Amino acid sequence: MAATTTEKKQLRIATRNCGFIDPESIDDYIALRGYEGLAKVLTMTPAEVVDLVKRSGLRGRGGAGFPTGIKWGIALGNKADQKYMVCNADEGDPGAFMDRAVLEGDPHSVVEAMAIGGYAIGATRGTVYIRAEYPLAIKRLKKAIDDAREYGLLGENIFGSGFDFDIELKYGAGAFVCGEETALIRSMEGKRGEPVTKPPFPAQSGYWEKPTIVNNVETFANIPAIIINGADWFSGIGTATSKGTKVFALAGKIQNVGLIEVPMGISLREVIFDIGGGCPDGKAFKAVQTGGPSGGALANKDLDVAIDYESLAACKSIMGSGGMVVMDEDDCMVSVAKFFLDFTMDETCGKCTPCRIGSKRLYEILDRITKGKGTRADLDRLKSLSEIIKDTALCGLGQTMPNPILSTMDTFANEYEAHVDDKKCPAHVCTALLTYTIDPAKCTGCGLCTRVCPVECISGTKKQPHTIDTTRCIKCGACYDKCKFDSIIKQ
């Protein structure tokens, strides 16, 4: 069977085994060259392994995009009686499930990669910090660890090399901020999950003040393939500064919802229309939010932008961990910014003032605007406060929190102005700015709208045009949804 356009555009490295093997069978994994990478690195020196990862150009897939090999090199160069390899499986972005899919579909790739990383930096202990809300991923990961121990691939004297390495699990309670590495480490230590000032970086002093490497699931999933196929193979994929592939979770107003893995450098247009199939029901594409709640909204003018770290940053967005939410013509971008800010406001750890209080003030301004109470001064305050928070928040999560506001104000300034100047929502989403009326030319007087109206504000005689008392209307939209003749006007 010929490959579809969707399949042709994709390249699976991190998700190479997902759907092809039984995730609970270590023999299936070994049959596809599993643990061959670990065996190979044990014939190399740690410095050679670090150099190979450096030359591959792999960058962290958790959001920051820091070069993995350089991070490992820092930990290798720091002498200590104990070092730690940590896998960040605390996936908190709304609509994102990349890490979950890998852990549920190919847990041994992460186990093997952590052992490889442990050997490279001189660590004998590994920890997977995983969301307690991922029961199937936890079950399969536990089995993978147990089976690897039984086969002698974890524990003492792996492959008779004298290298010892073992892995334990620690569970997160779902705090978004614990995706930030220093907050994650504090949580692992039994403390409140709050970021700390850097330096020192975790690779210098992290878990229990020992050199600690924190990489996310997708980063680790690439490691065995890089070791087996070589640095040149991996660096030959992608762009000059962003190598390899990236897994994205396509969500929102798009035909083909789900996980995709594409080479770095592919355009947004190819992802959204060739792979995603565009917006359903013939609706026009309006924007895509990349990078989750910390990212930015990209519009039609950005569709030919290459998906890599630098290009997305130039558009006031970020790669993030791989969330990609598509919006169509029916979405209000002011409301979208408010939605993402509501999430980050709830998830702030509260340690630094710009994030704790600034997020609340931003939300209050957006709330006024969406309720028709905003002013031009509010728009100025919204922008200036966003820029201040970006410059002054303690951690990356706080610094990127205003991105949805700044990007939508830049690209969809007309929508903000309509909300403030005209007290109208062009997308007809913001309830407080809506008005429902009945078109007498279309109304047949069937009476369906009167029966569904919860406040009985619609009146009229049978088979005669009805009217809505706008002073009593609560703008619930029940009449609009039920009318079979398109006679209800929402404006």
Side-chain angles (χ1 to χ4, degrees):
M1 183 183 294
T4 64
T5 301
T6 297
E7 292 167 337
K8 287 179 180 177
K9 296 282 185 178
Q10 298 192 58
L11 177 62
R12 295 174 61 160
I13 298 178
T15 60
R16 60 194 175 278
N17 294 328
C18 295
F20 293 103
I21 64 171
D22 177 356
E24 297 190 17
S25 170
I26 189 171
D27 294 323
D28 275 17
Y29 182 69
I30 290 173
L32 294 181
R33 305 184 74 179
Y35 292 100
E36 185 179 320
L38 176 57
K40 180 179 177 181
V41 301
L42 293 178
T43 67
M44 304 163 62
T45 67
E48 288 173 335
V49 179
V50 170
D51 181 64
L52 190 156
V53 176
K54 280 182 183 178
R55 289 188 288 108
S56 74
L58 176 65
R59 296 171 66 171
R61 298 300 195 246
F66 191 81
T68 305
I70 293 178
K71 182 186 280 190
W72 286 16
I74 295 170
L76 175 62
N78 280 278
K79 305 302 179 185
D81 57 350
Q82 183 60 268
K83 298 180 184 181
Y84 296 96
M85 206 75 193
V86 176
C87 175
N88 179 356
D90 190 58
E91 191 169 45
D93 286 9
F97 48 97
M98 298 77 63
D99 295 350
R100 177 180 179 178
V102 172
L103 290 174
E104 291 181 355
D106 188 20
H108 282 283
S109 65
V110 175
V111 172
E112 180 182 8
M114 291 182 70
I116 290 170
Y119 176 76
I121 70 167
T124 60
R125 299 279 300 278
T127 300
V128 179
Y129 184 88
I130 185 169
R131 298 174 68 84
E133 298 95 332
Y134 282 179
L136 182 58
I138 291 170
K139 172 178 174 282
R140 290 180 172 171
L141 192 56
K142 280 182 174 179
K143 187 175 189 324
I145 292 169
D146 289 342
D147 289 348
R149 287 193 192 116
E150 185 180 335
Y151 276 54
L153 301 169
L154 282 180
E156 297 179 355
N157 197 26
I158 298 172
F159 284 119
S161 65
F163 170 58
D164 303 336
F165 188 80
D166 211 344
I167 297 174
E168 65 175 347
L169 301 186
K170 285 188 178 288
Y171 305 117
F176 182 63
V177 73
C178 286
E180 197 277 337
E181 60 181 359
T182 61
L184 180 152
I185 289 170
R186 281 179 57 86
S187 179
M188 284 173 50
E189 293 173 341
K191 302 171 186 174
R192 180 171 176 167
E194 294 177 331
V196 298
T197 305
K198 296 181 282 190
F201 296 93
Q204 300 165 316
S205 176
Y207 189 44
W208 301 126
E209 300 183 355
K210 304 294 184 181
T212 304
I213 290 296
V214 181
N215 288 131
N216 89 321
V217 171
E218 186 184 342
T219 308
F220 277 122
N222 281 284
I223 294 294
I226 291 172
I227 300 299
I228 292 172
N229 296 300
D232 292 341
W233 164 77
F234 190 81
S235 65
I237 302 166
T239 68
T241 58
S242 300
K243 306 295 185 182
T245 59
K246 182 72 189 78
V247 181
F248 290 100
L250 279 179
K253 308 285 187 67
I254 194 157
Q255 293 273 17
N256 304 322
V257 175
L259 284 187
I260 64 170
E261 185 172 2
V262 293
M264 292 281 199
I266 193 172
S267 70
L268 283 168
R269 186 184 302 277
E270 291 173 283
V271 167
I272 294 167
F273 292 98
D274 295 344
I275 298 175
C279 299
D281 304 322
K283 298 285 186 178
F285 166 81
K286 186 171 188 177
V288 57
Q289 175 89 4
T290 66
S294 301
L298 305 177
N300 277 287
K301 65 181 178 63
D302 305 307
L303 282 174
D304 294 312
V305 167
I307 298 177
D308 61 56
Y309 293 99
E310 285 71 26
S311 298
L312 290 177
C315 296
K316 297 183 180 179
S317 187
I318 60 174
M319 181 85 69
S321 60
M324 195 173 281
V325 181
V326 178
M327 290 153 275
D328 67 14
E329 59 190 77
D330 293 332
D331 286 299
C332 167
M333 300 313 295
V334 183
S335 183
V336 165
K338 180 182 171 184
F339 168 81
F340 284 117
L341 191 71
D342 185 35
F343 174 83
T344 49
M345 178 182 68
D346 283 345
E347 291 293 336
T348 177
C349 74
K351 183 174 183 178
C352 74
T353 302
C355 189
R356 182 182 72 251
I357 299 178
S359 61
K360 181 69 174 175
R361 297 290 88 83
L362 288 176
Y363 183 83
E364 289 170 350
I365 296 171
L366 284 173
D367 192 51
R368 285 201 299 273
I369 292 173
T370 56
K371 289 180 178 177
K373 300 176 182 178
T375 64
R376 279 281 174 167
D378 280 328
L379 295 183
D380 294 335
R381 270 192 292 268
L382 196 61
K383 188 168 185 177
S384 62
L385 182 55
S386 294
E387 291 170 344
I388 290 169
I389 293 172
K390 280 184 72 71
D391 291 338
T392 58
L394 174 62
C395 76
L397 298 182
Q399 292 159 11
T400 55
M401 175 191 53
N403 281 350
I405 296 174
L406 292 172
S407 63
T408 52
M409 289 190 77
D410 182 51
T411 306
F412 300 97
N414 60 318
E415 291 199 25
Y416 281 87
E417 291 164 359
H419 281 69
V420 168
D421 297 338
D422 305 326
K423 310 302 179 187
K424 294 290 184 182
C425 174
H428 303 142
V429 170
C430 299
T431 303
L433 303 182
L434 294 179
T435 302
Y436 287 93
T437 56
I438 296 177
D439 184 349
K442 293 183 178 180
C443 180
T444 64
C446 70
L448 181 59
C449 58
T450 62
R451 292 194 291 274
V452 299
C453 178
V455 294
E456 300 179 346
C457 70
I458 303 175
S459 60
T461 57
K462 189 174 183 179
K463 295 186 179 180
Q464 295 296 318
H466 287 37
T467 57
I468 298 175
D469 183 350
T470 56
T471 62
R472 295 169 54 205
C473 176
I474 61 172
K475 306 174 184 181
C476 67
C479 59
Y480 181 85
D481 294 334
K482 289 293 183 179
C483 183
K484 300 177 180 178
F485 305 101
D486 296 326
S487 65
I488 308 292
I489 301 171
K490 181 170 66 172
Q491 58 186 11

